[in-house]
């Protein structure tokens, strides 16, 4: 077995001659031992070393000073992708909810390919902008960077935060930014710490409102939906994210784990 329940534990204990025991008694034993074999939590944490401390401090400094930086003509941006969103069309029409009845969706569907979605977050305002690149690669990213950064052409400096995705760390992307946008300061989140990128929070909030339970008959239909949805998100929901994990808390966390 790869997954245990109180009943399966009781059965094996009896089979091996350990004890004739009921599943309720197994549950009491596990409770007293503070063990929960039926539950699991996935984790992947960064290594709390000096490299993590340095990179995290740079990102957190930008969040702590985003408003002050905006007031002096600098802007903090976060960028993240939601790649390969499946374009699914139910084989039967969805039945809308009625008094006393839930909405009913057909579980069989037709696939119409996938769509990539690239989202930019302006940290101090919470405003977003989205694009649907054909591929999630460096060439398509560089083609979109003039639009992405062009909204902030008056900024004295741009602090651009993103994770270590292949299109971000590619030499083509680095060279493009270095030659065309020398005033852009690129900050990479530490390894296994992409959660430090506020654009992940943005995509989660956006997806919960504009992707969950959606049906689309083609890739073009989903692309049209995404391109019309992010302006509505800005109008109805955009706000700066409350970020409570400060540099001080980060240093305490690193010190505690290293000790």
């Amino acid at each position: 077995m790869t997954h245990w329940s109180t009943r399966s534990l009781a059965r094996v204990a009896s089979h091996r001659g350990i004890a004739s025991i009921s599943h309720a008694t197994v549950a009491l034993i596990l409770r007293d031992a503070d063990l929960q074999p039926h539950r699991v939590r996935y984790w992947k944490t960064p290594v709390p070393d000096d490299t993590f401390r340095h990179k995290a401090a740079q990102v957190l400094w930008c969040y702590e000073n985003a408003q002050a930086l905006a007031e002096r003509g600098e802007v903090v941006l976060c960028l993240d992708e939601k790649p390969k969103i499946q374009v699914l069309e139910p084989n039967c029409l969805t039945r809308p909810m009625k008094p006393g009845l839930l909405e009913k969706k057909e579980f069989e569907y037709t696939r119409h390919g996938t769509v990539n979605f690239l989202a930019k977050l302006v940290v101090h305002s919470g405003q977003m902008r989205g694009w649907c690149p054909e591929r999630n690669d460096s060439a398509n990213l560089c083609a979109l960077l003039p639009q992405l950064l062009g909204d902030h052409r008056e900024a004295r400096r741009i602090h651009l935060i993103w994770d270590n995705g292949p299109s971000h760390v590619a030499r083509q992307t680095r060279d493009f930014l270095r030659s065309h946008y020398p005033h852009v300061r690129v900050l990479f989140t530490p390894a296994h710490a992409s959660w430090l990128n506020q654009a992940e929070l943005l995509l989660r909030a956006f997806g919960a409102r504009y992707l969950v339970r959606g049906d689309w008959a083609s890739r073009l239909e989903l692309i049209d939906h995404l391109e019309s949805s992010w302006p509505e998100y800005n109008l109805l929901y955009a706000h700066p994210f409350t970020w409570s994990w400060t540099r001080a808390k980060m240093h305490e966390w690193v010190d505690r784990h290293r000790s």
Side-chain angles (χ1 to χ4, degrees):
M1 292 186 187
T2 60
H3 181 72
W4 294 90
S5 66
T6 55
R7 284 181 168 80
S8 60
L9 285 168
R11 184 179 300 112
V12 171
S14 176
H15 178 73
R16 294 185 179 181
I18 299 172
S20 179
I21 192 171
S22 70
H23 71 89
T25 303
V26 172
L28 292 174
I29 293 172
L30 293 173
R31 187 186 65 183
D32 290 342
D34 196 20
L35 295 173
Q36 302 179 61
H38 62 291
R39 299 184 63 192
V40 64
R41 177 176 295 167
Y42 290 98
W43 63 275
K44 191 173 186 179
T45 56
V47 178
D49 55 13
D50 290 337
T51 299
F52 173 86
R53 193 194 296 270
H54 174 68
K55 288 188 173 183
Q58 289 182 316
V59 172
L60 295 175
W61 178 87
C62 289
Y63 294 159
E64 293 170 24
N65 295 279
Q67 186 60 49
L69 289 169
E71 292 172 359
R72 71 185 196 197
E74 301 184 28
V75 63
V76 179
L77 305 178
C78 291
L79 194 73
D80 198 18
E81 297 90 357
K82 193 174 182 67
K84 299 185 181 303
I85 304 171
Q86 293 195 68
V87 185
L88 304 178
E89 180 185 16
N91 291 346
C92 295
L93 291 176
T94 298
R95 298 181 182 179
M97 66 177 177
K98 296 179 181 180
L101 295 175
L102 297 177
E103 176 184 272
K104 292 184 178 180
K105 291 178 68 71
E106 171 63 53
F107 67 88
E108 292 185 343
Y109 50 80
T110 301
R111 298 174 184 266
H112 297 290
T114 61
V115 170
N116 300 306
F117 186 58
L118 173 70
K120 176 188 72 175
L121 170 70
V122 182
V123 171
H124 74 274
S125 67
Q127 295 283 303
M128 73 172 292
R129 186 173 178 183
W131 296 266
C132 295
E134 189 63 29
R135 291 182 177 84
N136 185 26
D137 59 15
S138 179
N140 280 267
L141 176 61
C142 290
L144 290 175
L145 281 173
Q147 296 181 45
L148 194 151
L149 300 172
D151 295 338
H152 316 281
R153 57 178 58 88
E154 303 300 327
R156 295 171 49 225
R157 197 175 195 193
I158 296 175
H159 306 265
L160 178 60
I161 299 170
W162 55 23
D163 60 26
N164 296 273
S167 63
H168 304 163
V169 301
R171 179 179 295 275
Q172 180 181 355
T173 304
R174 292 173 180 263
D175 292 344
F176 183 86
L177 285 169
R178 191 180 299 112
S179 60
H180 293 84
Y181 299 97
H183 65 301
V184 173
R185 177 193 182 208
V186 178
L187 300 172
F188 294 95
T189 57
H192 308 318
S194 59
W195 41 268
L196 283 173
N197 185 353
Q198 286 193 10
E200 282 201 354
L201 296 178
L202 169 67
L203 285 172
R204 195 178 309 158
F206 178 85
R209 294 177 172 91
Y210 293 99
L211 290 175
V212 174
R213 294 166 64 181
D215 302 327
W216 300 279
S218 67
R219 291 185 70 253
L220 182 59
E221 187 174 314
L222 175 54
I223 291 172
D224 289 342
H225 169 76
L226 290 168
E227 291 180 345
S228 61
S229 293
W230 66 260
E232 182 179 287
Y233 176 90
N234 284 339
L235 182 65
L236 300 178
Y237 302 110
H239 62 83
F241 286 103
T242 301
W243 191 268
S244 60
W245 209 55
T246 62
R247 282 174 293 166
K249 291 182 179 179
M250 180 272 295
H251 288 305
E252 291 175 3
W253 181 84
V254 172
D255 291 338
R256 184 170 66 251
H257 281 73
R258 296 186 70 173
S259 64

Coordinates of all heavy atoms in Angstrom, one line a residue, residues 82-90 109-117 211-219 222-223 226:
K82 N 1.5 32.1 -17.0 CA 0.6 30.9 -16.8 C 0.6 30.2 -18.1 O -0.2 30.4 -19.0 CB -0.8 31.4 -16.4 CG -1.6 30.2 -15.8 CD -3.0 30.8 -15.3 CE -3.8 29.7 -14.7 NZ -3.3 29.1 -13.5
P83 N 1.6 29.2 -18.2 CA 1.7 28.6 -19.5 C 0.7 27.4 -19.7 O 0.2 26.8 -18.8 CB 3.1 28.0 -19.5 CG 3.4 27.7 -18.0 CD 2.6 28.8 -17.3
K84 N 0.4 27.2 -21.0 CA -0.4 26.0 -21.4 C -1.7 25.9 -20.7 O -2.0 24.8 -20.1 CB 0.5 24.7 -21.2 CG 1.8 24.7 -22.1 CD 2.5 23.4 -22.0 CE 3.8 23.4 -22.8 NZ 3.6 23.7 -24.2
I85 N -2.5 27.0 -20.7 CA -3.8 26.9 -20.2 C -4.7 26.1 -21.2 O -4.7 26.4 -22.4 CB -4.5 28.3 -20.1 CG1 -3.6 29.2 -19.2 CG2 -5.9 28.2 -19.5 CD1 -4.0 30.6 -19.2
Q86 N -5.3 25.0 -20.7 CA -6.0 24.1 -21.6 C -7.3 24.8 -22.1 O -8.1 25.3 -21.3 CB -6.3 22.8 -20.9 CG -5.1 22.0 -20.6 CD -5.4 20.5 -20.3 OE1 -5.9 19.8 -21.1 NE2 -5.2 20.2 -19.0
V87 N -7.5 24.7 -23.4 CA -8.8 25.2 -24.0 C -9.7 24.0 -24.1 O -9.6 23.2 -24.9 CB -8.5 25.8 -25.4 CG1 -9.8 26.4 -25.9 CG2 -7.4 26.8 -25.3
L88 N -10.7 24.0 -23.2 CA -11.6 22.8 -23.0 C -13.1 23.3 -23.3 O -13.5 24.3 -22.8 CB -11.6 22.3 -21.6 CG -10.2 21.8 -21.1 CD1 -10.2 21.3 -19.7 CD2 -9.6 20.8 -22.1
E89 N -13.7 22.5 -24.2 CA -15.1 22.7 -24.5 C -15.9 21.5 -24.1 O -15.7 20.4 -24.6 CB -15.3 23.0 -26.0 CG -16.7 23.2 -26.4 CD -16.8 23.4 -27.9 OE1 -15.9 23.0 -28.7 OE2 -17.9 23.9 -28.4
P90 N -16.9 21.6 -23.2 CA -17.7 20.5 -22.8 C -18.5 19.9 -24.0 O -18.9 20.7 -24.9 CB -18.7 21.0 -21.8 CG -18.0 22.3 -21.3 CD -17.3 22.8 -22.4
Y109 N -15.2 16.4 -22.4 CA -14.9 17.7 -23.1 C -14.0 17.4 -24.3 O -13.4 16.3 -24.5 CB -14.3 18.7 -22.2 CG -13.1 18.1 -21.4 CD1 -11.8 18.0 -22.0 CD2 -13.2 17.7 -20.1 CE1 -10.7 17.6 -21.3 CE2 -12.1 17.2 -19.4 CZ -10.9 17.1 -20.0 OH -9.8 16.6 -19.4
T110 N -13.9 18.4 -25.2 CA -13.0 18.4 -26.4 C -11.9 19.4 -26.1 O -12.1 20.5 -25.7 CB -13.8 18.8 -27.6 OG1 -14.9 17.8 -27.8 CG2 -12.9 18.7 -28.9
R111 N -10.7 18.9 -26.4 CA -9.5 19.8 -26.3 C -9.3 20.6 -27.5 O -9.4 20.0 -28.6 CB -8.3 19.0 -26.0 CG -8.3 18.2 -24.7 CD -7.1 17.3 -24.6 NE -7.1 16.4 -23.4 CZ -6.6 16.7 -22.2 NH1 -6.0 17.9 -22.1 NH2 -6.7 15.9 -21.2
H112 N -9.0 21.9 -27.4 CA -8.7 22.7 -28.5 C -7.3 23.3 -28.4 O -7.0 24.5 -28.8 CB -9.7 23.8 -28.6 CG -11.1 23.3 -28.9 ND1 -11.5 22.7 -30.1 CD2 -12.2 23.3 -28.1 CE1 -12.7 22.4 -30.1 NE2 -13.2 22.7 -28.9
G113 N -6.4 22.6 -27.8 CA -5.0 23.1 -27.6 C -4.8 23.9 -26.3 O -5.6 23.7 -25.4
T114 N -3.8 24.7 -26.3 CA -3.4 25.4 -25.1 C -3.1 26.9 -25.4 O -2.8 27.2 -26.6 CB -2.2 24.8 -24.4 OG1 -1.1 24.8 -25.2 CG2 -2.5 23.4 -23.9
V115 N -3.1 27.7 -24.4 CA -2.8 29.2 -24.6 C -1.9 29.6 -23.4 O -2.1 29.2 -22.3 CB -4.1 30.0 -24.5 CG1 -3.8 31.5 -24.4 CG2 -5.0 29.7 -25.7
N116 N -0.9 30.4 -23.8 CA 0.0 30.9 -22.8 C -0.5 32.3 -22.4 O -1.0 33.1 -23.2 CB 1.4 31.0 -23.3 CG 2.0 29.7 -23.7 OD1 2.0 28.8 -23.0 ND2 2.5 29.6 -25.0
F117 N -0.3 32.7 -21.1 CA -0.7 34.0 -20.6 C 0.4 34.6 -19.8 O 0.9 34.0 -18.9 CB -2.0 33.9 -19.8 CG -2.6 35.2 -19.4 CD1 -2.9 36.1 -20.3 CD2 -2.7 35.5 -18.0 CE1 -3.5 37.4 -19.9 CE2 -3.3 36.7 -17.6 CZ -3.6 37.7 -18.6
L211 N -10.9 32.4 -15.0 CA -10.6 31.1 -15.7 C -11.4 29.9 -15.1 O -11.7 29.0 -15.9 CB -9.1 30.9 -15.6 CG -8.2 31.8 -16.4 CD1 -6.7 31.5 -16.1 CD2 -8.5 31.7 -17.9
V212 N -11.6 29.9 -13.8 CA -12.3 28.8 -13.2 C -13.7 28.7 -13.8 O -14.5 29.7 -14.0 CB -12.4 29.0 -11.7 CG1 -13.3 27.9 -11.0 CG2 -11.0 29.0 -11.1
R213 N -14.1 27.5 -14.2 CA -15.4 27.2 -14.8 C -15.7 27.7 -16.2 O -16.8 27.7 -16.7 CB -16.6 27.6 -13.8 CG -16.6 26.8 -12.5 CD -17.5 27.5 -11.5 NE -18.9 27.5 -11.9 CZ -19.8 28.0 -11.1 NH1 -19.5 28.6 -10.0 NH2 -21.1 28.0 -11.5
G214 N -14.6 28.2 -16.8 CA -14.7 28.8 -18.1 C -14.7 27.7 -19.2 O -14.0 26.7 -19.1
D215 N -15.5 27.9 -20.3 CA -15.6 27.0 -21.4 C -15.3 27.8 -22.7 O -15.8 28.9 -22.8 CB -17.0 26.3 -21.5 CG -17.4 25.6 -20.3 OD1 -16.5 25.0 -19.7 OD2 -18.6 25.6 -20.0
W216 N -14.4 27.2 -23.5 CA -14.1 27.9 -24.8 C -14.1 27.0 -25.9 O -13.5 25.8 -25.8 CB -12.7 28.6 -24.6 CG -12.7 29.6 -23.5 CD1 -13.2 30.9 -23.5 CD2 -12.3 29.4 -22.1 NE1 -13.1 31.5 -22.3 CE2 -12.5 30.6 -21.4 CE3 -11.7 28.3 -21.5 CZ2 -12.2 30.7 -20.1 CZ3 -11.4 28.4 -20.1 CH2 -11.6 29.6 -19.5
A217 N -14.6 27.4 -27.1 CA -14.7 26.5 -28.2 C -13.5 26.6 -29.1 O -13.4 25.8 -30.1 CB -15.9 26.9 -29.0
S218 N -12.5 27.5 -28.8 CA -11.3 27.6 -29.7 C -10.2 28.3 -28.9 O -10.5 29.0 -27.9 CB -11.6 28.3 -31.0 OG -11.9 29.6 -30.8
R219 N -9.0 28.3 -29.4 CA -7.9 29.0 -28.8 C -8.2 30.5 -28.9 O -7.9 31.3 -28.0 CB -6.6 28.7 -29.5 CG -6.1 27.3 -29.2 CD -4.7 27.1 -29.8 NE -3.7 27.9 -29.1 CZ -3.1 29.0 -29.6 NH1 -3.4 29.4 -30.8 NH2 -2.2 29.6 -28.9
L222 N -10.5 31.8 -26.2 CA -9.9 32.0 -24.9 C -9.0 33.2 -25.0 O -8.9 34.0 -24.0 CB -9.1 30.7 -24.5 CG -8.3 30.8 -23.2 CD1 -9.2 31.3 -22.1 CD2 -7.6 29.5 -22.9
I223 N -8.2 33.4 -26.0 CA -7.4 34.6 -26.1 C -8.2 35.9 -26.1 O -7.8 36.8 -25.4 CB -6.5 34.5 -27.4 CG1 -5.5 33.4 -27.4 CG2 -5.8 35.8 -27.7 CD1 -4.8 33.1 -28.6
L226 N -9.2 36.4 -22.5 CA -8.1 36.9 -21.6 C -7.8 38.4 -21.9 O -7.6 39.1 -20.9 CB -6.9 36.0 -21.8 CG -6.9 34.6 -21.3 CD1 -5.8 33.8 -21.8 CD2 -6.9 34.6 -19.7

